[in-house]
Amino acid sequence: MSLPVTDTSARAASPRQVDTLIIGSGFAGLGAAIKLVQEGKHDFLVLERGNDVGGTWRDNTYPGAACDVPSHLYSYSFALNPEWTRSFSPQPEIQNYISSVARKFDVLDKHVFGCEVESAHWNDESAHWEVRTSKGDFVAKVVVAAVGALCEPSLPDIAGIEGFEGEIFHSAQWNHDATLDGKRIAVIGTGASAIQIVPQLAKTAGKLDVYQRTAPWILPRADREYTKAEHLAFKYVPGFQKLCRTGIYWMRETQVVGLAKAPIFMKPLQFAAERHLRRQIKDRELRRKVTPNFQIGCKRMLISNNYYPALAQPNVDVVTDGIAEVRKNSIVDRNGVEREVDAIVVATGFHVTDSPTFAGIFGKDGRSLAQTFDEGGQQGYKGSAIANFPNMFFLVGPNTGLGHSSMVFMIESQVNYVVDAIKVIERYDLATVEVRKDAQDAYNRELQSKLSKSVWNNGGCASWYLDKHGNNTTLWPGFTFEFRNMTKQFDLGAYRSVAAGDLPAPAVSAQTAAADSVDAELSDLDDDKVAAQ
């Protein structure tokens, strides 16, 4: 008797099973892990592709990297940091802070580092997510996607760029082994990263060309070192640091009126930015080049005290003619002018509305998140759930971004909502929860109605805030305390839920049937041997 040929995968090691999988460990994923532990939930894992927590603050190590939100506000409310050295923290301090919080709340043992998530498929029969990674397969009842909006570098589509023979790298993938002193360098882009990088490169570059597509509005950076007395007060005066944080928060919230409600109120900020430009750049031609042609706030507002002075240095040129092609050792602009370069720094931002991550997440109808967004735009419910993706929650999801304040505040609001959802699922023994499409649609109609009055939709610019459908799917159109109130509790009524007891009996998979058939054949053979003896 011959045995049938079997698929060895039928006997492969079983996937690791957990109640909750968190994907990513930046501010969002780490915050979710800490909150779960605080709520007594320990059956979870955090899958992190890097070798440490921190996310974008771990990866962005370019010269001059720093935050544009004041330090006291850019931190967890439950883990204030009295050790900030400056009013605006540099990248190493922020990364050290995030790492220290992970250690303090003892969640590092819940992490699987160096773990790239390759795909996530919803299994409707078992009501679980099947997640394939570089470190094996996982099965989870709930998945929390905390991959962040600024994690996938966006590379420019420029003819010939792949044939460049000098150093070339994205700002988020800085090559610290590259020798740039005295070299001819090109920086492509003038966004938040570029305005921090350019002043540092200008100090030592032989020649620096800054390729600008759109000039940004830049405000003064009110940055300073904290005094010894302030440090002592942060550490030992009860409530002092919290009071500082509260003051910064409310000061920032005043910008919402102009950004989201009545753009006319952005005039004072635009006047401040224009004055900053006039004071720092005296050359009229250069000033003309770097003067924006849209209302302030339409694109991300930037802060810097040294960007404009760097552009005015004799070894720096601002190129506004666009790039036609990149050659082996040069860049040719659209007027045909060729400039020789030794190194190119690509500071062109990230895939925000079209993250490659979306292509690997498949909902209950088999469509990927990328397909869902491509067809109807990047829409969600409270930035935390998306129809067709049961038992999956998102941190820093659609329309949770800010143009004025700290994303950590929004992240904490979402974490409260998502962890409460997990508690509700457990309390009522629910197999699945999925936001209703009608609830999601109604929520987004209200969002877009509010955004139609905002400077982001009426400021005269094109930005990464908008998707290909022309909708602003990135920013929250209101005060952050409104979002906090809206996400205090999980609203089960907006979701379609199925009790665990109502799930149909699982069908026997073909793989399992094949394995059982082999087992039966082996058993028959053993019986024949016993009979023969």
Side-chain angles (χ1 to χ4, degrees):
M1 183 184 296
S2 62
L3 293 178
V5 177
T6 61
D7 182 353
T8 56
S9 65
R11 294 186 177 277
S14 298
R16 186 171 179 179
Q17 299 193 20
V18 293
D19 186 74
T20 303
L21 273 182
I22 300 170
I23 303 175
S25 191
F27 265 109
L30 179 59
I34 292 170
K35 183 69 173 177
L36 283 173
V37 169
Q38 289 175 333
E39 293 292 335
K41 311 296 181 188
H42 299 281
D43 188 10
F44 73 90
L45 285 173
V46 184
L47 308 183
E48 169 53 56
R49 67 182 179 181
N51 294 317
D52 195 3
V53 297
T56 191
W57 291 108
R58 176 198 62 229
D59 296 339
N60 283 266
T61 60
Y62 58 79
C67 191
D68 56 6
V69 174
S71 306
H72 293 306
L73 193 56
Y74 201 75
S75 55
Y76 296 116
S77 63
F78 55 84
L80 299 185
N81 179 23
E83 303 296 337
W84 296 125
T85 62
R86 309 186 64 84
S87 51
F88 288 86
S89 308
Q91 177 269 335
E93 282 193 31
I94 297 173
Q95 178 58 20
N96 288 339
Y97 165 75
I98 298 171
S99 297
S100 70
V101 171
R103 293 192 300 272
K104 176 181 178 180
F105 288 91
D106 197 22
V107 293
L108 288 175
D109 62 340
K110 291 291 187 181
H111 284 67
V112 182
F113 289 111
C115 183
E116 186 84 37
V117 174
E118 298 166 356
S119 66
H121 289 80
W122 173 253
N123 186 320
D124 214 28
E125 289 186 354
S126 65
H128 280 81
W129 282 96
E130 297 172 350
V131 180
R132 175 166 293 181
T133 80
S134 60
K135 289 200 169 181
D137 296 343
F138 296 82
V139 171
K141 183 173 183 178
V142 175
V143 169
V144 179
V147 295
L150 307 181
C151 66
E152 296 290 346
S154 176
L155 300 174
D157 183 15
I158 301 173
I161 196 167
E162 68 282 350
F164 183 68
E165 294 183 347
E167 292 283 356
I168 181 169
F169 47 84
H170 193 278
S171 58
Q173 299 165 332
W174 196 269
N175 181 4
H176 290 278
D177 293 328
T179 302
L180 300 178
D181 290 1
K183 298 293 180 68
R184 299 166 299 186
I185 307 170
V187 174
I188 302 176
T190 52
S193 299
I195 71 160
Q196 295 180 341
I197 293 168
V198 166
Q200 305 306 315
L201 294 181
K203 294 176 183 177
T204 59
K207 184 74 173 65
L208 178 61
D209 296 323
V210 179
Y211 285 84
Q212 171 189 284
R213 183 172 62 180
T214 307
W217 281 112
I218 299 176
L219 291 160
R221 185 180 183 88
D223 189 23
R224 64 177 182 83
E225 288 188 17
Y226 286 125
T227 65
K228 185 176 181 179
E230 285 173 312
H231 276 125
L232 291 172
F234 295 150
K235 285 184 179 180
Y236 302 115
V237 178
F240 179 69
Q241 191 174 15
K242 187 176 180 180
L243 181 64
C244 292
R245 176 187 173 95
T246 301
I248 295 168
Y249 170 80
W250 286 111
M251 182 178 66
R252 290 273 171 155
E253 285 297 282
T254 62
Q255 294 183 24
V256 174
V257 177
L259 289 169
K261 311 292 184 182
I264 189 67
F265 290 103
M266 295 301 294
K267 288 292 185 182
L269 275 179
Q270 185 156 328
F271 175 76
E274 290 169 345
R275 185 176 60 178
H276 185 55
L277 173 56
R278 288 194 303 270
R279 284 181 172 179
Q280 293 203 315
I281 294 187
K282 303 302 182 183
D283 182 87
R284 289 187 178 183
E285 177 57 22
L286 178 57
R287 192 190 305 160
R288 182 193 63 78
K289 281 185 176 182
V290 298
T291 298
N293 59 0
F294 55 89
Q295 186 174 1
I296 193 170
C298 184
K299 283 179 174 285
R300 182 176 176 181
M301 294 180 290
L302 308 179
I303 56 173
S304 176
N305 294 332
N306 56 7
Y307 179 67
Y308 285 147
L311 298 185
Q313 290 182 205
N315 65 329
V316 179
D317 277 341
V318 177
V319 183
T320 60
D321 297 319
I323 299 175
E325 65 172 317
V326 175
R327 296 177 181 171
K328 290 192 298 184
N329 298 294
S330 64
I331 295 177
V332 182
D333 70 26
R334 288 178 183 166
N335 287 333
V337 177
E338 183 175 5
R339 296 173 175 85
E340 293 187 351
V341 290
D342 303 307
I344 298 175
V345 176
V346 179
T348 48
F350 300 84
H351 290 280
V352 177
T353 61
D354 60 343
S355 173
T357 306
F358 301 157
I361 300 174
F362 297 87
K364 69 178 186 180
D365 66 358
R367 288 187 306 156
S368 70
L369 191 56
Q371 290 171 310
T372 301
F373 286 163
D374 185 63
E375 293 168 11
Q378 185 173 311
Q379 298 182 5
Y381 179 72
K382 298 187 177 181
S384 306
I386 296 171
N388 188 51
F389 295 84
N391 292 16
M392 176 170 277
F393 299 99
F394 298 82
L395 300 178
V396 196
N399 290 106
T400 57
L402 299 177
H404 70 288
S405 191
S406 172
M407 275 307 300
V408 183
F409 186 92
M410 298 293 278
I411 286 168
E412 285 195 47
S413 300
Q414 282 196 283
V415 165
N416 290 336
Y417 183 80
V418 170
V419 172
D420 193 48
I422 293 171
K423 290 163 62 179
V424 167
I425 290 170
E426 183 178 296
R427 184 184 311 134
Y428 296 108
D429 192 22
L430 300 177
T432 66
V433 293
E434 176 194 356
V435 66
R436 300 195 325 267
K437 186 66 163 59
D438 63 309
Q440 179 175 297
D441 288 345
Y443 177 79
N444 280 278
R445 282 194 298 271
E446 184 178 358
L447 272 182
Q448 294 304 320
S449 175
K450 291 179 178 178
L451 284 162
S452 67
K453 305 178 183 70
S454 73
V455 69
W456 308 305
N457 287 37
N458 297 283
C461 73
S463 73
W464 54 265
Y465 296 152
L466 308 179
D467 68 8
K468 71 173 189 176
H469 301 280
N471 293 321
N472 188 330
T473 59
T474 307
L475 297 174
W476 169 246
F479 296 103
T480 60
F481 60 79
E482 292 176 315
F483 188 81
R484 175 64 59 91
N485 289 335
M486 188 179 72
T487 52
K488 274 186 176 180
Q489 290 183 312
F490 180 66
D491 48 341
L492 184 59
Y495 291 73
R496 184 177 292 107
S497 60
V498 177
D502 293 338
L503 279 180
V508 178
S509 70
Q511 240 183 20
T512 302
D516 288 345
S517 174
V518 174
D519 289 340
E521 293 249 17
L522 289 172
S523 179
D524 289 344
L525 284 176
D526 289 341
D527 289 343
D528 290 343
K529 287 179 182 178
V530 171
Q533 291 172 350

